[in-house]
Amino acid sequence: MEQKKLRWKDVYNENKQRRYSEIVGIKEENVEIESNSFKTLKERKYIILTASIILLIALIWSFKNDIKLLFIVLGFFAIAGICFFVFNYFKFICQEDGLYVRFGFQEGKFKYERLKSVYLSKYNEYSFFIPNKRVYSVVIRYSDNNNRIKELSFPNYFIKPDEVMKFLDNFEIKAAEESDFVQYERFKMLKKIGKAIITILFVLTVLGMFLQGIRGV
């Protein structure tokens, strides 16, 4: 019988408790996960090349009367594309003395006594405003030098659900929820609501100024 394909939704639902439970150790060393954007670029080079050619033709047609502006727009898309692939590369390894983390051009290690939890999040800074059922993030929660809770979030663009499931399952967690984590999640939600309100007020203000300008013409 063919095994059912693992979905991101399944991984998220099976690991909800990890958001509120503290890590107490790992099961095995050298369990790792890698988001290799460059490998994906190589595997899908024809699709990406085709899309790039179509975009290039569209841009040339749109800005054919302004060559200077065309090169500015092309430069912007080129830099944005390079940054997207570079800064979406990351690698985590469960080593003996801590969790090794590498992302972009940076690398470091979280000692297990400072590593609070590792979980899969359904939301990130952008999906709160623009919901996307396929966008999840692997979140590393830790305590800084002042013992304050901090988080690093890494999108799932170039990783697979089964890889994340195996990686998350390698962390042993407490059965009970941590009250500090519950409060921190509430703080995050209030912060997101605040950002949403500010964004809405800004859009309404700009729209009101625009409409007022039209009436004054």
Side-chain angles (χ1 to χ4, degrees), residues 72-183:
I72 292 175
V73 173
L74 288 175
F76 169 78
F77 276 103
I79 294 173
I82 292 171
C83 290
F84 177 79
F85 282 98
V86 169
F87 292 104
N88 277 294
Y89 173 87
F90 61 82
K91 186 175 185 177
F92 310 145
I93 306 176
C94 295
Q95 298 181 341
E96 181 181 2
D97 56 343
L99 177 65
Y100 169 81
V101 176
R102 179 182 177 186
F103 60 99
F105 299 109
Q106 304 180 61
E107 62 180 347
K109 185 178 293 185
F110 291 96
K111 299 293 184 181
Y112 289 121
E113 56 265 26
R114 295 182 61 182
L115 187 65
K116 296 303 180 181
S117 57
V118 180
Y119 65 92
L120 188 67
S121 175
K122 186 182 289 187
Y123 303 104
N124 55 39
E125 293 296 324
Y126 306 103
S127 62
F128 183 76
F129 302 105
I130 307 174
N132 189 331
K133 293 182 179 180
R134 295 185 179 181
V135 176
Y136 290 80
S137 295
V138 178
V139 179
I140 295 176
R141 179 178 290 164
Y142 64 98
S143 61
D144 63 10
N145 295 329
N146 297 316
N147 205 32
R148 292 177 300 187
I149 297 177
K150 295 289 184 66
E151 289 186 343
L152 293 174
S153 183
F154 304 86
N156 66 333
Y157 300 138
F158 304 107
I159 49 180
K160 298 178 181 178
D162 55 330
E163 297 172 336
V164 175
M165 178 69 88
K166 180 181 178 182
F167 181 74
L168 293 178
D169 189 57
N170 193 52
F171 293 96
E172 296 179 338
I173 60 174
K174 293 180 180 179
E177 292 183 350
E178 290 289 326
S179 59
D180 290 346
F181 295 175
V182 175
Q183 292 177 6

Side-chain angles (χ1 to χ4, degrees), residues 54-64 70 73-74 77:
I54 294 173
L55 177 62
L56 180 61
I57 293 173
L59 290 175
I60 292 174
W61 177 260
S62 300
F63 299 99
K64 59 183 178 180
L70 172 63
V73 173
L74 288 175
F77 276 103

